[in-house]
Structures are given as structure tokens and as C-alpha cells.
């Protein structure tokens, strides 16, 4: 049973390594909190692909995106551990740079095929979230989870 848990954890962490790296390659820099939330939403969207929102949405896009967390408190909380481990691994390997509260990726030339592609809707939400302060962003996350 212990071996199975280790295998499950390694698969989860590797998935989130890929998702975090894809986010940072596309957006170059993002806070740790926002990366955690959007990495979870991108992975979740892969398994539940039919979203009520699309890339045409422009009004309150961050709030709509964070509303996708509604009713998924346990899933989100369980995934945070794996996302943090993924960020730690990427940081230790020098792939991602952690500076204050921000994650940066230096070189995006080593781009492999994107397995967990973000939708246009989430892409817009990530860009708009850069203009929202961390405190307000986390308030919205906790209100939706």
C-alpha cells in the first residue's frame, strides 16, 4: 500500500511540474499563489473539459474563473501539496526561479509538447490576475472554495 501511495504522489507531482512549467513558459512570471490556483484549474479542466465559460468572456473574467473552484474544497486542498512539491522540484533543478513571491522561468527555448494546454479563458484570466493584488486574489479564492 505504501508503494502505491508513493507512485500516486510521484505521478501527481510530475503532472503538476509540467503544468506549472507550461504556465510560466507562456506567462513568464506569476506569483506562487496564483500559480497554485491556476495549475489546479488547468489540471482539473483536463479531466472535466466542458466549462461554462470560453475565451469570449471578458467581464469579471477572474471571478468567473475562480468560480470554477466552487464545491471542490477537498480536491483543491489535496492538490496544493503536490503543486508545492512540483514548484520545489523545479526550483531545485534551476528550471524555475523563486524570487520573493514570484516564480520566473528564464529560458523557454526547451519547449516540449504541451500536455495540459490552458484554454483561452484561463489564459485571459491569468493575464488579468496579474493586475489584481495578492490579498484580493486570495480572498476570492477562499470565497469560492
Amino acid at each position: 500500500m505504501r508503494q502505491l501511495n508513493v507512485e500516486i504522489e510521484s505521478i501527481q507531482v510530475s503532472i503538476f511540474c509540467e503544468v506549472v512549467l507550461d504556465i510560466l513558459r507562456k506567462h513568464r512570471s506569476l506569483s506562487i499563489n496564483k500559480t497554485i490556483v491556476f495549475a489546479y484549474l488547468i489540471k482539473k479542466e483536463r479531466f472535466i473539459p466542458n466549462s461554462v465559460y470560453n475565451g469570449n468572456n471578458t467581464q469579471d473574467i477572474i471571478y468567473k474563473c475562480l468560480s470554477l473552484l466552487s464545491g471542490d474544497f477537498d480536491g483543491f486542498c489535496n492538490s496544493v501539496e503536490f503543486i508545492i512539491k512540483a514548484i520545489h522540484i523545479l526550483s531545485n533543478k534551476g528550471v524555475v526561479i523563486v524570487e520573493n513571491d514570484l516564480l520566473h522561468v528564464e529560458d523557454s527555448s526547451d519547449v516540449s509538447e504541451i500536455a495540459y494546454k490552458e484554454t483561452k479563458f484561463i489564459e485571459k484570466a491569468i493575464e488579468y490576475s496579474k493586475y489584481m493584488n495578492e490579498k484580493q486574489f486570495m480572498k476570492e479564492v477562499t470565497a469560492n472554495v
Side-chain angles (χ1 to χ4, degrees), residues 8-99:
I8 290 170
E9 180 177 344
S10 63
I11 290 169
Q12 290 288 334
V13 171
S14 68
I15 288 170
F16 281 118
C17 280
E18 187 70 30
V19 172
V20 167
L21 201 52
D22 289 343
I23 290 171
L24 293 176
R25 282 181 180 150
K26 186 161 198 160
H27 301 282
R28 304 296 292 165
S29 178
L30 198 61
S31 74
I32 294 171
N33 291 331
K34 293 174 185 174
T35 303
I36 290 170
V37 172
F38 289 121
Y40 176 73
L41 288 173
I42 289 169
K43 181 183 175 268
K44 178 183 173 184
E45 193 171 66
R46 169 77 183 251
F47 297 107
I48 306 170
N50 296 334
S51 178
V52 293
Y53 304 116
N54 59 31
N56 295 333
N57 295 89
T58 55
Q59 292 285 346
D60 301 324
I61 196 162
I62 296 171
Y63 304 108
K64 290 176 182 176
C65 186
L66 294 178
S67 73
L68 298 174
L69 291 170
S70 292
D72 199 11
F73 178 76
D74 291 335
F76 178 70
C77 289
N78 291 335
S79 292
V80 168
E81 173 188 0
F82 301 125
I83 300 168
I84 291 172
K85 286 180 181 181
I87 291 170
H88 180 72
I89 289 170
L90 292 170
S91 174
N92 283 347
K93 293 291 181 183
V95 178
V96 170
I97 297 168
V98 180
E99 197 172 80

